[in-house]
Amino acid sequence: MILRESVPLQRLWPRTFKRLMLLLAFDCAVAGLYVFLDWHWLAFDALPIGTLGSALAIFLAFRANAAYGRWWEARQLWGQLVNTSRALARQALTALDVDPDNARHTALRSGIVLNQVAFVHALRCHLRRQNPFPELVGVLGHAEAEALRGYGNIPNALTLRVAEQLQEARALGLIDSLRWSALDGSLTTLANIQGACERIKNTPLPRQFSFLPRMLVDAFCWLIPLALVSGLGIFTPIASALISFTLIAIDTASQAIEDPFENTVNDTPMTALSRGIELTLREMLDQRKALPEVRAIDGFVY
Amino acid sequence: MLPMSCTPNPHLIFATNFSEACHAAIPMVANWVDSLQARLTLLHVHPRGNGVQAARALDSFFAESAHYPNSERQLLSGPAATGIAEFCRQHPQAMLVMPPSVRSYLPRPLHVSLRTEVLRTAATPMLTMLPDTRAIATQATAGGHVACWITGEESHLEHVREAAALAQQRGAELHLLFVLPEVSEGLMIEALYSNRPLAEPAAIRMLDDIAARIGNGVRVRVHLGTGSARPTLARLLRDSRANVLVVDRDTTVRKQLLRHSFASALRDSPCLLVSVPSGNAAERDRLPPPNARKPLDRLAAPVASLHRQRFATKSLGAWLALDGTGNGWRSPLPA
């Protein structure tokens, strides 16, 4: 996620320069032919092109809205994950009738919270297609992390493991049916959050929404110099390039945010959020491990 | 010097400037840490007087590695290339991981690549990749294919040893790649000053000899192609389905008029690159003279490697039968 006030233009340049350079060459050719060779038939009436511009604006706004909708939904889901993780940890620490002198009871209670920490990290890795095991070894220990290797969907396996721990707590008489039901509800919420994140990850924006605006932007940019050249003459490339850059930049920016789990600067800041969740949950466990917060680097936070 | 992959807990040094390319490389590094059970050092070299901000940034970069069993963060100050090279000199058994800088697509006539500078001077192998690193993030943690490009101009076999060790460690197949030049008048002149094989029989003999030196437990395949290096190498890599390409450092870095640059032949490589420097002269495995007319004296091959030896010989024989056009080698083996 980008936190800095201004986005440097060189960030847009790699994605836009090929289209812009081609258009600039065309603009210069049109202006040169019109001014120096008197090819006045090149000039179009600006009115129909203006109408096309209005239609294009609707398409672009629609596409930008759809992309932003995905990005914002992803952020909301991770906000919900923060809340649910805290709620589950609180429930585990207060709803279980644990005998503080019984090591098995206390291990069961803290195990639920640590599995929740592992779930958050595993979900982040799952969405970014990253290997979670070196991290899980640090959170859960070697044996417990290795036991997860057989699973394809690690976060789901971790929710199952917490559910099994709750079942064990119920068998030990640490929890009644009513409280078990509340805790299981939190696990269902976690499963829903994971499912929604996977939906965003695995379902791209409909290709028509990407292709049509892009094609229309290109067509419009090729027509602009023809509409401007009779009025601006040799200065046509300047105005045309500026208009083209604006439209291409909007198109590119919405492309960049449509996939919020791709390990780029436009991502939902999952690393920072998962570290925040871990710090809070460890505080609740009274395990103040010396982990620093994840801060923005040069205005970018991951 | 043992290949990095042969050490019990290999050491990866991830040199970072916190760029997007470094962030994009994190899944790949996590994969390597897991598959090799490696130690990880995150290294940042900052300009003098910028320590506090650099320390804060280093703490926030690759934050998940704080949980990795053997990981540490190292902050140095001074010139970046010198600092990284010096740190590598202190850890000769490590492998340096260094992603490329993000492409700006703007003209940079005076730009000197930090990666190339470090590559030229570092004493350890370097793992690097193309700017588009997303394709490699999903590679399997084990198995797969390791390729080793042999140009015939190398003076040692360190990179072949490293590739073989890596293939063994990952349970992967090892592919030896060789690109023959197109037949032209220039070849007659090249034959005067170059020792590299210029014809198929000499290339086969050299690769056969190299394959015979590789240790037990690695399945070896040989790929030959004819043409200019860049497209032919890219084609061979595609055919071999390699995840990792191991090359000699002198092949990776090319000297130009005023500076050194990354070899253009490797710019289309679709996989990770491991560039291996030469070890101590005394430890080097000398290449055989490829144009030698007499059969080379060979050490008696251990029993376990005989299968592989026969396998390689059979493949090369099949190549002669299959591809008489000289357009390349078609594997006669099932995929």
Side-chain angles (χ1 to χ4, degrees):
Chain A
M1 191 167 66
I2 303 173
L3 295 180
R4 58 199 295 173
E5 290 290 325
S6 61
V7 179
L9 285 182
Q10 65 258 33
R11 286 191 52 75
L12 286 172
W13 180 251
R15 287 165 169 249
T16 57
F17 82 99
K18 280 183 187 162
R19 290 162 85 185
L20 279 176
M21 288 291 109
L22 204 59
L23 285 167
L24 188 63
F26 179 69
D27 297 345
C28 292
V30 168
L33 291 171
Y34 185 88
V35 173
F36 299 116
L37 297 181
D38 290 332
W39 286 20
H40 288 191
W41 56 268
L42 280 175
F44 278 13
D45 186 3
L47 189 62
I49 295 174
T51 315
L52 177 62
S54 308
L56 178 62
I58 294 170
F59 257 115
L60 276 180
F62 190 66
R63 187 229 156 93
N65 265 339
Y68 179 73
R70 288 164 63 84
W71 186 86
W72 182 237
E73 189 189 357
R75 181 63 190 84
Q76 281 182 315
L77 286 168
W78 270 78
Q80 199 183 350
L81 180 61
V82 173
N83 298 346
T84 312
S85 299
R86 289 174 188 165
L88 180 68
R90 190 196 66 238
Q91 287 168 328
L93 293 173
T94 56
L96 267 62
D97 295 326
V98 167
D99 175 6
D101 299 327
N102 188 322
R104 189 179 173 192
H105 288 187
T106 50
L108 188 64
R109 188 174 64 177
S110 58
I112 292 171
V113 180
L114 285 178
N115 275 320
Q116 178 54 26
V117 172
F119 170 83
V120 175
H121 291 311
L123 180 59
R124 188 196 69 241
C125 293
H126 180 63
L127 295 171
R128 285 183 175 162
R129 309 235 188 278
Q130 184 177 328
N131 187 329
F133 288 103
E135 199 173 356
L136 293 181
V137 168
V139 176
L140 297 174
H142 193 265
E144 287 201 43
E146 285 300 313
L148 292 166
R149 288 226 184 239
Y151 291 92
N153 191 326
I154 308 295
N156 194 49
L158 281 162
T159 8
L160 178 66
R161 186 180 278 184
V162 175
E164 286 167 352
Q165 286 173 318
L166 289 178
Q167 195 180 27
E168 188 186 343
R170 200 174 167 197
L172 288 170
L174 304 180
I175 188 171
D176 59 28
S177 296
L178 201 61
R179 284 182 281 173
W180 175 84
S181 174
L183 277 156
D184 195 61
S186 296
L187 290 182
T188 306
T189 310
L190 289 176
N192 289 340
I193 292 169
Q194 183 189 342
C197 290
E198 286 171 345
R199 169 173 50 78
I200 294 173
K201 174 80 180 175
N202 298 330
T203 315
L205 199 66
R207 287 296 159 229
Q208 301 89 322
F209 289 10
S210 303
F211 174 70
L212 278 177
R214 189 185 168 90
M215 194 184 69
L216 280 174
V217 164
D218 282 342
F220 186 74
C221 292
W222 286 102
L223 290 174
I224 290 170
L226 305 176
L228 295 179
V229 73
S230 61
L232 294 176
I234 198 68
F235 297 107
T236 301
I238 299 171
S240 180
L242 275 175
I243 296 170
S244 301
F245 176 72
T246 310
L247 293 173
I248 291 172
I250 293 171
D251 182 36
T252 308
S254 53
Q255 260 180 27
I257 62 167
E258 72 185 33
D259 293 316
F261 300 129
E262 292 296 323
N263 201 19
T264 67
V265 288
N266 301 299
D267 264 18
T268 302
M270 291 187 287
T271 307
L273 287 167
S274 49
R275 174 58 63 85
I277 292 171
E278 177 170 9
L279 289 174
T280 312
L281 265 55
R282 283 191 185 277
E283 257 182 28
M284 293 166 86
L285 274 178
D286 209 16
Q287 289 180 1
R288 286 177 173 77
K289 200 177 173 183
L291 284 174
E293 279 182 37
V294 175
R295 295 195 175 91
I297 306 174
D298 294 333
F300 302 120
V301 64
Y302 285 83
Chain B
M1 186 172 70
L2 271 177
M4 188 280 296
S5 314
C6 277
T7 52
N9 283 104
H11 184 191
L12 297 177
I13 301 168
F14 185 3
T16 177
N17 60 355
F18 316 125
S19 66
E20 285 181 66
C22 288
H23 278 281
I26 285 174
M28 181 270 294
V29 175
N31 248 355
W32 277 64
V33 167
D34 188 44
S35 64
L36 299 176
Q37 294 298 306
R39 265 191 317 133
L40 177 67
T41 299
L42 299 179
L43 172 67
H44 177 62
V45 184
H46 63 88
R48 290 188 197 285
N50 201 16
V52 177
Q53 199 181 346
R56 198 178 296 154
L58 186 60
D59 278 341
S60 294
F61 175 75
F62 200 171
E64 52 267 52
S65 71
H67 286 301
Y68 286 16
N70 294 304
S71 91
E72 57 175 3
R73 286 157 202 270
Q74 190 73 42
L75 194 63
L76 303 175
S77 68
T82 317
I84 295 169
E86 181 55 36
F87 190 78
C88 290
R89 220 180 329 275
Q90 292 165 12
H91 301 84
Q93 295 291 336
M95 181 185 282
L96 177 65
V97 182
M98 208 168 166
S101 55
V102 180
R103 277 186 183 161
S104 69
Y105 296 99
L106 291 167
R108 295 185 295 177
L110 300 176
H111 173 72
V112 178
S113 161
L114 175 66
R115 182 175 57 160
T116 312
E117 285 301 298
V118 173
L119 188 56
R120 210 163 54 82
T121 51
T124 57
M126 180 195 277
L127 172 65
T128 186
M129 65 292 290
L130 290 172
D132 183 17
T133 50
R134 288 182 198 185
I136 52 163
T138 53
Q139 64 168 311
T141 53
H145 304 267
V146 174
C148 180
W149 183 27
I150 295 162
T151 60
E153 290 170 350
E154 304 96 335
S155 58
H156 60 92
L157 285 178
E158 296 285 325
H159 60 304
V160 182
R161 288 171 63 193
E162 185 70 51
L166 192 60
Q168 191 165 15
Q169 175 89 20
R170 297 168 70 98
E173 281 187 356
L174 176 63
H175 299 260
L176 300 180
L177 314 181
F178 189 82
V179 179
L180 282 164
E182 294 272 20
V183 177
S184 67
E185 293 84 351
L187 273 186
M188 296 176 70
I189 299 170
E190 188 176 347
L192 295 175
Y193 65 84
S194 171
N195 266 340
R196 74 171 176 143
L198 300 174
E200 291 149 6
I204 292 165
R205 204 161 47 235
M206 183 188 75
L207 293 174
D208 193 17
D209 189 83
I210 291 171
R213 296 182 187 201
I214 294 168
N216 302 335
V218 182
R219 198 172 179 207
V220 184
R221 291 191 183 201
V222 177
H223 299 254
L224 281 171
T226 307
S228 61
R230 190 169 170 175
T232 311
L233 182 66
R235 183 168 58 79
L236 292 179
L237 285 168
R238 270 198 310 276
D239 291 349
S240 64
R241 293 177 294 152
N243 314 109
V244 184
L245 172 64
V246 185
V247 287
D248 175 46
R249 181 169 69 187
D250 297 337
T251 308
T252 318
V253 182
R254 293 286 173 183
K255 189 168 173 22
Q256 290 182 327
L257 185 61
L258 295 172
R259 56 181 183 166
H260 291 82
S261 72
F262 208 74
S264 63
L266 297 168
R267 285 193 186 137
D268 289 338
S269 162
C271 49
L272 295 171
L273 295 173
V274 177
S275 176
V276 183
S278 54
N280 298 327
E283 293 178 356
R284 283 182 194 169
D285 241 342
R286 291 266 166 207
L287 270 177
N291 293 320
R293 285 167 189 254
K294 290 181 183 175
L296 294 159
D297 293 329
R298 296 210 183 119
L299 297 170
V303 176
S305 71
L306 284 177
H307 168 69
R308 193 251 322 120
Q309 170 95 26
R310 279 201 301 275
F311 170 77
T313 310
K314 186 182 168 190
S315 306
L316 293 166
W319 164 73
L320 288 170
L322 277 170
D323 193 356
T325 61
N327 288 332
W329 181 75
R330 286 179 283 153
S331 170
L333 300 163

